[in-house]
Amino acid sequence: MAPPGPALAAGLLFFPGLFVLARAALRRRCSEAHAVILAARLVSSVQAVMASTAGFIIASSCQHVMDDQHWLAGAYPPFAVPYFLYDVYAMFLCHRHRARVKGHEAAPAPPLRASAVAFLRREPLLVLHHVTMVLGCFPAACLWRQGKGDFFLGCLLLAELSTPCVCLGKVLVLLGLQHTALHRLNGLLLLVTFLLCRVLLFPFLYYAYGRHRGLPLLRVPGALPPGANAAAAALLAPQLYWFALICRRAWRLRGGPVGSPIGRPIGRSIGSPIGSPIGSPIESPIENPIESPIGSPIETPIGGATENPIESPIGSPIGSPIESPIENPIGSPIETPIGGATETPIGSPIENPIGDPIESPIGGATETPIGSPIGTPIESPIESPIENPIENPIESPLRAP
């Protein structure tokens, strides 16, 4: 096995250097906060691809799970150890810029000590996992194995296969694309890869060792040293916790629409189709715009013509057809009939306000125009087809036009 010194030095230069270069390149296109977060996710994805590729090569090359060796098993662990130290610092920078990413660009940065305490309280499991990888897994992989079990080390490196999905999901949320089909597909891939490569990985390792020893799966823990079982349990516990979080988020998002969490945004003005998820699209509640203010002539009917379900001579505006536009404002001569059909047109315009004599019928169908004026104000009964005021019953049926 080669000494870990050169690989360790290479990792110390590679991962922080890649982060600095990526952040400098992203500063030209976005803010400092976005550049830090995107650069950190890029470095994490690169490390994950490298680790999973090395793990696949090692595991597929070892036919004997205990004795076969591959040079990557001794070279990659010391190269990857500096990444876990760098990643703690990168995640701290992301936490420090979190408020600015959420829109508080003018907010001053919190003190360094307060940010560090808040970061440790928010991500204790992440920090503990990285410290364990440096202080526990690195000595076990490079010093304590004594060249045995390269197959198992390669399988453990395959656990990083789910990390690119985690990074892509966070980037999509950062860019406001968390309600797209791409985010759903990425979440599905994360769920599958995390289950296979991080949760079911440990039962598979026990199964592979049991097959090597000729033991059933349930008897393998008893054949291993207690320290090996404790280490496996310590590595599996955070994976189960994170997998539960992934499943809970997937359950919350399982039935939501693709466009937005509550329907699609209404991005159009009144009168244009509204793409809402409630029922069918509303084509236009107001089919023709009202182009003039109140008091000016209204050049188009409101709502369009209807088929007059009320077959009565009462020319009410509800349900009766509007056969011509109202070309004049209230108080000016009306040259066209209003409401229902009449056998004779309106003989003269309504030249006076309410309370003066009205010389023509309004609305309903009559055989002859009403010749007598209405000489009483509004409070008195109107001698029209409706012969009684509202307080008295209507004695005659309404006649069809």
Side-chain angles (χ1 to χ4, degrees), residues 105-119:
E105 295 286 348
L112 184 62
R113 183 174 181 179
S115 297
V117 173
F119 171 68

Side-chain angles (χ1 to χ4, degrees), residues 1-21:
M1 181 181 294
L8 188 66
L12 284 172
L13 293 176
F14 178 77
F15 295 109
L18 180 61
F19 173 76
V20 171
L21 292 177

Side-chain angles (χ1 to χ4, degrees), residues 22-345:
R23 183 176 64 175
L26 290 169
R27 279 176 178 172
R28 303 174 182 176
R29 298 180 175 271
C30 56
S31 64
E32 172 68 17
H34 286 77
V36 168
I37 295 177
L38 292 176
R41 300 303 174 190
L42 174 63
V43 176
S44 297
S45 299
V46 170
Q47 192 279 143
V49 172
M50 295 173 64
S52 57
T53 303
F56 176 77
I57 294 174
I58 295 170
S60 61
S61 301
C62 296
Q63 302 297 325
H64 195 279
V65 296
M66 291 300 298
D67 296 334
D68 286 354
Q69 295 183 353
H70 194 279
W71 67 270
L72 279 175
Y76 190 80
F79 174 77
V81 163
Y83 162 78
F84 294 98
L85 296 175
Y86 142 81
D87 195 50
V88 173
Y89 175 70
M91 292 300 101
F92 169 71
L93 289 181
C94 294
H95 172 79
R96 190 172 173 81
H97 288 88
R98 191 183 304 275
R100 296 185 179 183
V101 168
K102 292 183 177 180
H104 306 286
E105 295 286 348
L112 184 62
R113 183 174 181 179
S115 297
V117 173
F119 171 68
L120 292 176
R121 290 178 177 177
R122 181 181 178 88
E123 303 288 351
L125 193 58
L126 176 66
V127 176
L128 180 62
H129 175 266
H130 283 41
V131 171
T132 303
M133 295 296 293
V134 174
L135 299 180
C137 295
F138 170 66
C142 297
L143 303 175
W144 301 341
R145 287 192 309 115
Q146 298 179 354
K148 299 290 185 179
D150 285 8
F151 172 81
F152 296 104
L153 178 61
C155 292
L156 288 173
L157 290 175
L158 283 172
E160 292 293 326
L161 191 61
S162 62
T163 302
C165 297
V166 176
C167 296
L168 178 59
K170 292 185 178 295
V171 170
L172 292 176
V173 172
L174 178 65
L175 299 179
L177 302 176
Q178 65 270 29
H179 303 295
T180 59
L182 178 60
H183 188 266
R184 288 176 175 268
L185 178 60
N186 179 74
L188 179 61
L189 291 176
L190 172 61
L191 190 66
V192 173
T193 55
F194 202 97
L195 176 63
L196 294 178
C197 299
R198 288 182 178 256
V199 177
L200 298 181
L201 171 66
F202 293 92
F204 172 75
L205 295 179
Y206 276 75
Y207 166 76
Y209 184 78
R211 187 179 62 177
H212 165 69
R213 294 282 304 271
L215 298 174
L217 179 61
L218 297 179
R219 294 183 58 186
V220 172
L224 291 173
N229 292 323
L235 291 176
L236 179 60
Q239 316 305 327
L240 293 176
Y241 172 74
W242 286 325
F243 184 69
L245 295 181
I246 295 172
C247 291
R248 185 174 66 178
R249 179 168 178 81
W251 179 261
R252 283 197 309 232
L253 298 178
R254 65 186 180 88
V258 174
S260 65
I262 305 176
R264 294 183 179 272
I266 300 176
R268 299 177 179 270
S269 58
I270 298 175
S272 59
I274 302 176
S276 62
I278 305 174
S280 57
I282 303 174
E283 297 265 328
S284 176
I286 304 175
E287 294 183 0
N288 297 309
I290 302 175
E291 298 180 354
S292 59
I294 299 174
S296 303
I298 302 175
E299 299 179 359
T300 56
I302 302 175
T306 58
E307 294 184 3
N308 191 14
I310 304 176
E311 300 267 342
S312 62
I314 300 176
S316 61
I318 303 174
S320 59
I322 302 176
E323 302 201 342
S324 62
I326 303 175
E327 298 180 353
N328 299 298
I330 300 174
S332 59
I334 302 175
E335 300 179 1
T336 57
I338 303 175
T342 58
E343 296 182 5
T344 59

